[in-house]
Amino acid sequence: MTEAHAIAGVPMRWVGPLRVSGNVADTEIQVPLATYESPLWPSVGRGAKVSRLAEKGIVATLVDERMTRSVLVEARDAQTALTAARMIEARIDELRDVVRGCSRFAQLIGIRHEINANLLFIRFEFSTGDASGHNMATLASDALLAHLLQTVPGISYGSISGNYCTDKKATAINGILGRGKNVVTELLVPRQVVAGVLHTSAAKIVELNIRKNLLGTLLAGGIRSANAHYANMLLAFYLATGQDAANIIEGSQGVVMAEDRDGDLYFACTLPNLIVGTVGNGKGLGFVETNLTRLGCRADAAPGENARRLAVLAAATVLCGELSLLAAQTNPGELMRAHVALERDNTTVKVGA
């Protein structure tokens, strides 16, 4: 292998199994996590153990899915931009035909716009099958933009991407409208499991979630987000399954909910921007193919089903790590003791172990 084609090895381990149910998958399965932060494996593993001790496991509900690309056009003035926007939205069926002409799997499912001065930002929303859909959406948007410039009077080219998508940036619009897969995961943990496995109480986790995740994030100026470390689990899962790792920026937006239900713990993680795919760039590597197959995401299924399964497994993994960390942080010194012990034990960890 030449230096130009070298592969950077990141230690990877399989964790679990997790018990997952819901409107996409009903399974008990291990998940791969590639990370240099070795304490993440046992931490997620503890959350996975909790999922197996709950009656329904982690209930993962896929709420929505769409990939977006925004284009930018310039109009003579704001009134011309508004007229163009209304014309574009009224011609959605025509624009869907344009998309069908350039892609087998992309489908135009929505159009939104924003006008600033004489600039018109057009946000196209697509379904993209089993692909995460970045390139597919850009290709379709390029064809749409060319068509609009030829058929809509008073506008001229601005950019193929107007940053109103929004790709690999933490923004309010993605949290509100969604980009990728929107998944909600829920877990009802019996009080004896909260005490025996997590070494805490539902009341303590609820209090910490309010003070740390909600209030602390508010004071820090977080954007559509209130969680402890979604990004940790997402990055490890993304690297192990051939995803574009930069998408953890918007992917790690999301809100944790915790309720004390007579000593039992209701714990939920909402992730509105999970961008994952089971085909496309990065999926041809041998270890990625192996991991996706082992996850059941290479099945002979209708377009989109494998990617939906991957998304809910990613979201369930996030819940496991989030729950375990918050539980640890309710106890003075537990988090640091675990990090010191586990990181020293894993200083010589081998790639692929």
Side-chain angles (χ1 to χ4, degrees):
M1 182 177 293
T2 66
E3 184 177 343
H5 296 90
I7 294 177
V10 180
M12 189 193 83
R13 290 186 181 177
W14 287 82
V15 174
L18 292 62
R19 180 177 295 167
V20 182
S21 63
N23 65 351
V24 172
D26 191 349
T27 186
E28 194 167 299
I29 193 168
Q30 289 187 311
V31 294
L33 298 176
T35 181
Y36 291 111
E37 188 174 355
S38 51
L40 190 66
W41 297 315
S43 180
V44 173
R46 181 166 72 155
K49 180 178 180 179
V50 171
S51 78
R52 300 194 302 274
L53 297 172
E55 182 180 356
K56 296 181 181 179
I58 298 167
V59 181
T61 302
L62 181 77
V63 176
D64 187 56
E65 56 182 321
R66 61 194 62 233
M67 176 48 63
T68 64
R69 174 60 68 199
S70 69
V71 299
L72 171 61
V73 297
E74 181 179 354
R76 287 190 294 269
D77 49 40
Q79 182 60 51
T80 304
L82 178 60
T83 300
R86 289 174 173 169
M87 182 182 298
I88 291 166
E89 291 174 354
R91 292 164 55 185
I92 188 169
D93 289 337
E94 173 189 329
L95 299 180
R96 283 173 174 153
D97 288 337
V98 173
V99 174
R100 292 189 193 101
C102 66
S103 174
R104 288 184 299 158
F105 297 105
Q107 296 182 39
L108 180 64
I109 58 177
I111 304 173
R112 302 176 188 268
H113 76 269
E114 180 137 347
I115 296 169
N116 187 72
N118 65 323
L119 300 178
L120 172 59
F121 296 80
I122 309 165
R123 194 176 197 257
F124 296 118
E125 301 173 342
F126 305 94
S127 62
T128 57
D130 282 311
S132 61
H134 291 101
N135 293 336
M136 196 182 297
T138 302
L139 176 66
S141 296
D142 194 54
L144 288 169
L145 180 55
H147 179 76
L148 294 177
L149 292 175
Q150 292 174 358
T151 59
V152 176
I155 61 173
S156 59
Y157 178 82
S159 174
I160 183 58
S161 178
N163 251 13
Y164 193 66
C165 315
T166 295
D167 188 19
K168 299 167 184 170
K169 290 167 279 288
T171 61
I173 194 169
N174 281 356
I176 296 168
L177 300 180
R179 188 171 193 262
K181 307 287 194 292
N182 185 330
V183 181
V184 177
T185 54
E186 302 168 283
L187 182 64
L188 186 60
V189 188
R191 69 187 71 188
Q192 63 270 24
V193 177
V194 177
V197 178
L198 297 174
H199 311 299
T200 186
S201 68
K204 287 182 179 180
I205 289 182
V206 169
E207 182 180 68
L208 181 63
N209 186 54
I210 293 171
R211 293 177 173 181
K212 170 192 169 73
N213 283 348
L214 299 177
L215 182 57
T217 305
L218 172 68
L219 294 175
I223 301 175
R224 296 284 303 183
S225 200
N227 65 75
H229 71 145
Y230 280 14
N232 256 340
M233 288 72 72
L234 280 182
L235 178 59
F237 191 92
Y238 278 20
L239 290 177
T241 59
Q243 310 305 314
D244 187 338
N247 285 131
I248 67 163
I249 297 173
E250 63 258 58
S252 59
Q253 283 185 296
V255 176
V256 174
M257 276 282 291
E259 294 178 358
D260 181 350
R261 297 187 176 179
D262 295 324
D264 295 341
L265 173 66
Y266 170 80
F267 194 82
C269 296
T270 298
L271 297 97
N273 306 314
L274 273 177
I275 299 175
V276 298
T278 58
V279 298
N281 193 34
K283 311 309 181 293
L285 296 172
F287 80 92
V288 171
E289 179 73 26
T290 298
N291 292 351
L292 290 174
T293 299
R294 185 168 166 180
L295 287 170
C297 295
R298 282 297 203 190
D300 184 10
E305 288 188 10
N306 284 325
R308 294 182 195 109
R309 178 182 174 87
L310 189 65
V312 300
L313 294 180
T317 302
V318 168
L319 182 144
C320 289
E322 189 77 6
L323 174 61
S324 185
L325 177 68
L326 285 177
Q329 290 183 349
T330 65
N331 297 314
E334 180 181 331
L335 178 67
M336 201 62 248
R337 285 194 302 271
H339 267 262
V340 169
L342 292 167
E343 287 178 348
R344 284 177 178 171
D345 287 345
N346 287 281
T347 52
T348 59
V349 69
K350 295 179 180 179
V351 173

